[in-house]
Amino acid sequence: MDLAQVKGSGEKGRVTKDDVQNFVKAALAQPRGTGDGMHVLPMPVIDFAQFGAIETRPLSRIQKISGANLHRNWVSIPHVTQFDEADITEMEAFRKQLGAEYAAQGIKITPLAFLLRAVMEALQHFPDFNASLDAGGENLILKKYCHIGVAVDTPDGLMVPVLRDVDKKGIVQLAKELGEISARARDRKLAATDMQGGSFTISSLGGIGGTAFTPIINAPEVAILGVSRSAMKQIYKDGAFVPRLMLPLALSYDHRVIDGASAARFTVYLSQILADIRRLAL
Ligand code: CAO
């Protein structure tokens, strides 16, 4: 407690033991807000049946758990989302070639495998994105490992299994593990430990569609990359419009830790790697 806030009743305004105890009692008796400055109206309780037919379906256990976490992260982290586009024309040609080679082994190589590898490079270049604030919010804990969570859409709701040591794996290995872990998520075979220890998350809706979205940070991580569906666009290059395959990126970051300039540099760097994946070999 801050003693300067206590009015002293002792000699010459001295703060006595009783003053301290009374101050604490009074503080505890105050009506409790959420403690986070969120004094919002409660949600109205409405009988929707008065407007037409309805059906009530309980949320799944996963929806309840992930919902509570998403809500906390949404209200307690100052989010900003940086958008960018990466030219993946060449990457996509190479991916298709690789895909044909590995299909016989049952390994599906999607753009996400390349993204995992490229994000890992960007995290190594910008270590503040591979970090967490400590509980007191005073220190940044920089992680020397690179475990990347991947949001997986399952019939029971959103799950985020973690791919470990992405920095020690190649694209084919990552594609293989991605296929295995997302299948396990959908078959409800993930252990709690499969979802722990992530240092950054990727949420890809590219297989479904859409042009952009604003992902919610998976605390205690400080950033998350959202990926939407790539599309052919006319890009002005060397004095002419040329058709290029562009991948939309959306990086949400914790503005307490990362400033806008760093976020823009991160997505520019990531886009440069994706545009020329030979850079992964550097
Ligand atoms: N642009 C264009 N096509 C893309 C793409 C992109 N960004 N990303 C994937 N694709 C293609 C794949 O190449 C694949 O094509 P083919 O079927 O022709 O081979 C198809 O889309 C389906 O891909 P996929 O979704 O099966 O595989 P993935 O590796 O891209 O993603 C997974 C795996 C587990 C991340 C995904 O299945 C999933 O669950 N996504 C949803 C995540 C989610 O819900 N996020 C929101 C979180 S916030 O609520």
Side-chain angles (χ1 to χ4, degrees):
M1 56 176 293
D2 178 6
L3 272 187
Q5 289 184 19
V6 184
K7 199 164 180 296
S9 65
E11 196 186 345
K12 295 186 181 161
R14 284 189 184 133
V15 173
T16 67
K17 187 176 171 189
D18 280 347
D19 293 333
V20 173
Q21 285 175 341
N22 290 337
F23 182 86
V24 171
K25 270 189 213 147
L28 290 176
Q30 290 279 326
R32 289 221 178 166
T34 50
D36 48 16
M38 296 266 168
H39 301 293
V40 293
L41 284 178
M43 285 289 174
V45 181
I46 294 175
D47 174 15
F48 297 101
Q50 64 183 305
F51 305 116
I54 58 164
E55 178 199 329
T56 302
R57 193 184 60 212
L59 293 181
S60 69
R61 199 178 68 85
I62 293 170
Q63 277 179 314
K64 283 190 202 156
I65 297 170
S66 63
N69 281 292
L70 288 164
H71 187 196
R72 179 202 56 204
N73 300 347
W74 179 245
V75 298
S76 59
I77 301 174
H79 280 70
V80 180
T81 306
Q82 171 73 23
F83 298 101
D84 210 335
E85 275 185 329
D87 181 341
I88 58 161
T89 317
E90 263 117 54
M91 183 197 103
E92 193 59 6
F94 181 51
R95 182 185 76 83
K96 286 203 171 124
Q97 189 189 323
L98 264 191
E101 285 171 29
Y102 284 90
Q105 294 178 33
I107 302 174
K108 187 172 172 185
I109 301 181
T110 65
L112 197 47
F114 285 83
L115 268 159
L116 279 159
R117 184 83 200 156
V119 162
M120 179 280 290
E121 279 296 324
L123 292 175
Q124 289 193 334
H125 201 75
F126 298 93
D128 287 10
F129 289 75
N130 197 46
S132 287
L133 274 177
D134 69 2
E138 300 269 329
N139 302 293
L140 194 61
I141 300 166
L142 298 148
K143 296 163 194 171
K144 306 292 176 193
Y145 51 82
C146 183
H147 303 331
I148 301 185
V150 176
V152 179
D153 175 38
T154 79
D156 298 321
L158 174 69
M159 306 200 80
V160 187
V162 175
L163 289 175
R164 315 249 151 212
D165 298 315
V166 173
D167 49 328
K168 300 191 176 83
K169 293 170 184 165
I171 287 164
V172 176
Q173 176 70 17
L174 290 169
K176 187 165 172 272
E177 290 189 17
L178 183 62
E180 286 164 0
I181 209 155
S182 50
R184 277 207 284 135
R186 291 191 175 114
D187 296 343
R188 304 174 192 177
K189 291 205 177 118
L190 286 181
T193 46
D194 289 327
M195 290 174 279
Q196 289 165 2
S199 45
F200 185 91
T201 296
I202 302 179
S203 175
S204 172
L205 294 175
I208 302 170
T211 54
F213 66 104
T214 53
I216 298 179
I217 296 163
N218 191 13
E221 296 163 21
V222 294
I224 179 169
L225 183 74
V227 184
S228 297
R229 194 168 190 78
S230 58
M232 286 306 272
K233 290 192 177 174
Q234 290 281 18
I235 301 296
Y236 195 69
K237 216 175 167 187
D238 304 327
F241 280 104
V242 284
R244 307 292 296 175
L245 186 66
M246 304 303 289
L247 180 73
L249 305 172
L251 177 81
S252 292
Y253 58 91
D254 183 337
H255 211 340
R256 294 171 301 180
V257 177
I258 293 160
D259 57 28
S262 304
R265 285 189 194 105
F266 185 96
T267 57
V268 166
Y269 185 81
L270 180 60
S271 302
Q272 282 169 349
I273 295 175
L274 291 168
D276 184 0
I277 51 165
R278 290 173 307 176
R279 286 172 188 272
L280 287 173
L282 298 177

